[in-house]
Amino acid sequence: MNTTEQLTDRIDSVLYELGLSKENSGVTTGLNWLNGDGGTIPSHSPVSGALIGTVRSASRSEYEHVITTAQQGFSEWRSWPAPKRGEIVRQLGDALRQNKSALGRLVSHEMGKSYQEGLGEVQEMIDICDFAVGLSRQLHGLTMHSERPLHRMYEQWHPYGLVGVVTAFNFPVAVWSWNAALAWICGDVVIWKPSEKTPLCSLACQHITSRVFKRNGVPEGVSCILNGGREVGEWISHDPRIPLVSATGSTRMGRAVGAAVGERLGRSLLELGGNNAVIISDKADLEMALVGSVFGAVGTAGQRCTSTRRLIVHDSVYETFKRKLIAAYQQLRIGDPLDERNHIGPLIDNAAVDAYLNALSAAREQGARFAIEGEVLRGTGYESGCYVRPAIVEATEGMAIVQEETFAPILYLLRYSGDINEAIRIQNNVKQGLSSAIMTLDMREAERFLSVTGSDCGIANVNIGTSGAEIGGAFGGEKETGGGRESGSDAWKVYMRRQTNTINYGTTLPLAQGILFDI
């Protein structure tokens, strides 16, 4: 049996374990699967290039059926007590624990990230379920004193209804769960449009979810999936029956979604591009900085929205740190992501490889130098053509390519020679504002970086890298990153509408602001 046959046999085993087959419908209202009359989506593994399976996508008539069913499901689901909804999510977390290995392997096969990262992504799903369970008893409002006698004011929160969730390929299961777990405990129903590059992952999640929902009598329509191409996302974005659309992807995609949802005065939660930097101070622990920088740059083959794209290194430690970085890169093992000896798997597809090559060409044309040349790897084990060598590029702040996000393992090295203010200025001088970090043992530098005049990103870290956000904190960024917040903290408020209530328990009706109105 050759390598491709071994990989195919391995994938088939994972599909069977998760209740999937080679041919699947990709449209469901929860327990019921529709035909998927909108065409077929092939899923090729970037690991080997092999066809894993096919998924049938939604037609327009099936889309309408899903929306109608979701509306009916919401009318019942919103009346369930929030702690009872939380109990369902708790059971889903347990089901994910039982399926962690199989789902993690499927993520690795279909997306290409390492098995350890696949397991980590499923752990994020488990963590958000745990977080949501606690929140289901803490959807608090406020009580306020009224200026009018014998009156009471308070705020409460109600579910929006239908929540459209559009996810990207790089986190094919976790980002859906960030949205779904919180939306469900808030009383919303979820309509998921997964990336057409990783459709099988969505079906595996639904099989796990549906068993929990069926056991608990959750109404049909609470967890819906609409696999399909760009047109399905457009249907969701333009549909006034969906008051909230959460979309993760490129800035270009986010602009289209934001415009469509905004035109109908809906609400959008956008998690878009990142051009994340780590500042390496002359007061940094360079060994610690090395670990954070390398994982941030090459983890998930540079296909995280929080991947480290730029290192802003103080001139006095630049050459020393560059040598350490080159030595670390030379030890990286690239190959089958299911082989735990490897650090880096493939890019998602050939289009991603082309983007990688185009960025390297642009950097060369703009005068950059290469500390480590990038290339596409060929030969045994690299048959898919999606494996690339992580590149280290010595660049300057003014190069156009440094301003762009390339979803690939390309790391730009930039120098600074002044104080921390210069480094922060360079870091902030990009269009994106997702994640940032500083490596320093100087308390004043660290606090300056976190101050109101410091990092302009939604995430700012000290002595850890730009990647690896925890569930407890709100996740999201500023500027062209979209401004959305998901996952932790009070992100649950995104999925609910606020209502202010005033109760008059007196025998007269005084008006606010002392207005007199006699009749």
Side-chain angles (χ1 to χ4, degrees):
M1 183 181 292
N2 62 36
T3 303
T4 300
E5 290 173 336
Q6 289 175 337
L7 288 171
T8 301
D9 187 59
R10 196 170 66 186
I11 294 168
D12 289 347
S13 175
V14 173
L15 294 179
Y16 177 80
E17 190 172 346
L18 290 168
L20 304 177
S21 61
K22 285 292 190 181
E23 297 181 0
N24 307 269
S25 169
V27 188
T28 178
T29 55
L31 302 178
N32 296 320
W33 294 85
L34 282 62
N35 291 331
D37 295 329
T40 300
I41 304 172
S43 177
H44 290 89
S45 172
V47 178
S48 64
L51 179 67
I52 304 177
T54 59
V55 174
R56 297 188 300 279
S57 62
S59 65
R60 183 68 201 211
S61 61
E62 289 174 325
Y63 172 86
E64 292 296 330
H65 178 71
V66 168
I67 296 299
T68 299
T69 306
Q71 289 176 312
Q72 294 168 348
F74 172 62
S75 66
E76 179 182 343
W77 180 244
R78 64 183 173 182
S79 298
W80 286 38
K84 185 176 180 181
R85 297 192 297 255
E87 168 59 17
I88 308 303
V89 174
R90 184 195 67 77
Q91 292 181 36
L92 176 59
D94 286 346
L96 289 168
R97 287 180 174 89
Q98 296 164 10
N99 289 274
K100 181 177 177 179
S101 175
L103 187 53
R105 279 180 281 144
L106 178 59
V107 168
S108 294
H109 278 301
E110 192 171 34
M111 185 271 150
K113 64 176 59 175
S114 73
Y115 178 51
Q116 280 300 312
E117 290 187 75
L119 291 176
E121 183 166 350
V122 181
Q123 187 60 49
E124 284 192 48
M125 303 175 77
I126 295 167
D127 291 344
I128 194 63
C129 286
D130 289 350
F131 184 81
V133 173
L135 276 180
S136 68
R137 294 179 181 271
Q138 300 180 71
L139 305 178
H140 301 311
L142 296 171
T143 299
M144 296 156 282
H145 290 281
S146 172
E147 68 183 53
R148 288 165 284 185
L150 304 179
H151 282 58
R152 179 168 64 88
M153 296 176 63
Y154 71 94
E155 291 180 348
Q156 60 179 333
W157 296 83
H158 295 304
Y160 269 125
L162 279 60
V163 175
V165 178
V166 180
T167 59
F169 73 86
N170 59 330
F171 280 85
V173 295
V175 173
W176 163 75
S177 71
W178 290 2
N179 287 273
L182 296 191
W184 285 334
I185 62 109
C186 290
D188 297 309
V189 301
V190 175
I191 300 164
W192 182 14
K193 192 279 180 196
S195 169
E196 53 268 45
K197 297 182 180 183
T198 51
L200 291 170
C201 285
S202 69
L203 306 189
C205 290
Q206 185 61 33
H207 279 290
I208 295 168
T209 302
S210 64
R211 289 193 289 269
V212 174
F213 280 22
K214 183 177 181 180
R215 188 168 65 236
N216 288 276
V218 173
E220 191 75 359
V222 174
S223 179
C224 303
I225 295 181
L226 288 163
N227 270 286
R230 177 178 177 177
E231 70 282 355
V232 177
E234 291 174 345
W235 297 341
I236 291 172
S237 298
H238 287 90
D239 195 333
R241 296 169 293 183
I242 304 176
L244 173 64
V245 177
S246 173
T248 302
S250 67
T251 298
R252 177 187 56 79
M253 180 276 293
R255 284 197 178 98
V257 172
V261 177
E263 185 179 23
R264 59 179 175 84
L265 298 182
R267 294 178 179 266
S268 56
L269 192 170
L270 300 176
E271 298 288 359
L272 310 176
N275 191 352
N276 315 296
V278 178
I279 296 171
I280 312 292
S281 164
D282 58 332
K283 305 174 184 66
D285 179 329
L286 295 187
E287 296 304 319
M288 182 184 294
L290 183 67
V291 174
S293 300
V294 173
F295 176 74
V298 307
T300 324
Q303 297 174 111
R304 292 183 176 217
C305 52
T306 55
S307 290
T308 304
R309 310 288 178 199
R310 299 172 294 144
L311 289 187
I312 304 166
V313 187
H314 193 274
D315 194 64
S316 65
V317 296
Y318 182 92
E319 292 299 333
T320 299
F321 192 73
K322 183 177 75 170
R323 286 194 297 271
K324 289 178 178 291
L325 201 60
I326 292 171
Y329 267 53
Q330 289 171 340
Q331 298 177 50
L332 295 173
R333 292 184 295 273
I334 307 167
D336 178 0
L338 274 296
D339 183 341
E340 296 193 58
R341 294 172 296 179
N342 292 326
H343 298 100
I344 309 168
L347 294 178
I348 185 65
D349 56 20
N350 291 325
V353 174
D354 290 342
Y356 161 84
L357 293 174
N358 290 338
L360 294 180
S361 294
R364 192 171 287 108
E365 291 170 1
Q366 292 167 26
R369 297 185 300 170
F370 285 73
I372 289 187
E373 294 273 354
E375 63 175 328
V376 181
L377 302 179
R378 308 291 184 186
T380 303
Y382 303 131
E383 290 85 356
S384 70
C386 295
Y387 293 86
V388 302
R389 188 175 306 284
I392 300 177
V393 182
E394 295 188 80
T396 61
E397 179 187 1
M399 291 179 181
I401 191 62
V402 176
Q403 297 290 317
E404 302 300 323
E405 177 191 43
T406 302
F407 238 47
I410 301 174
L411 181 62
Y412 299 106
L413 297 188
L414 308 171
R415 293 176 183 259
Y416 79 100
S417 56
D419 61 13
I420 190 61
N421 296 310
E422 180 189 359
I424 292 172
R425 182 196 60 76
I426 294 171
Q427 182 218 272
N428 290 347
N429 189 28
V430 293
K431 296 173 288 187
Q432 308 85 355
L434 178 53
S435 188
S436 60
I438 186 171
M439 297 290 181
T440 182
L441 299 180
D442 186 294
M443 181 186 71
R444 289 175 176 170
E445 284 191 334
E447 291 295 337
R448 170 73 179 82
F449 179 73
L450 299 177
S451 74
V452 68
T453 55
S455 170
D456 64 1
C457 295
I459 299 169
N461 298 327
V462 176
N463 291 330
I464 63 171
T466 60
S467 253
E470 296 181 30
I471 287 300
F475 180 88
E478 302 302 325
K479 300 189 291 188
E480 287 194 0
T481 302
R485 291 297 184 274
E486 292 176 323
S487 183
S489 185
D490 63 349
W492 62 270
K493 293 179 179 179
V494 175
Y495 305 92
M496 304 192 83
R497 58 183 176 87
R498 188 196 309 245
Q499 185 181 80
T500 301
N501 309 111
T502 305
I503 301 169
N504 178 1
Y505 58 93
T507 58
T508 61
L509 203 159
L511 301 178
Q513 293 83 49
I515 294 174
L516 299 177
F517 185 75
D518 296 326
I519 56 173

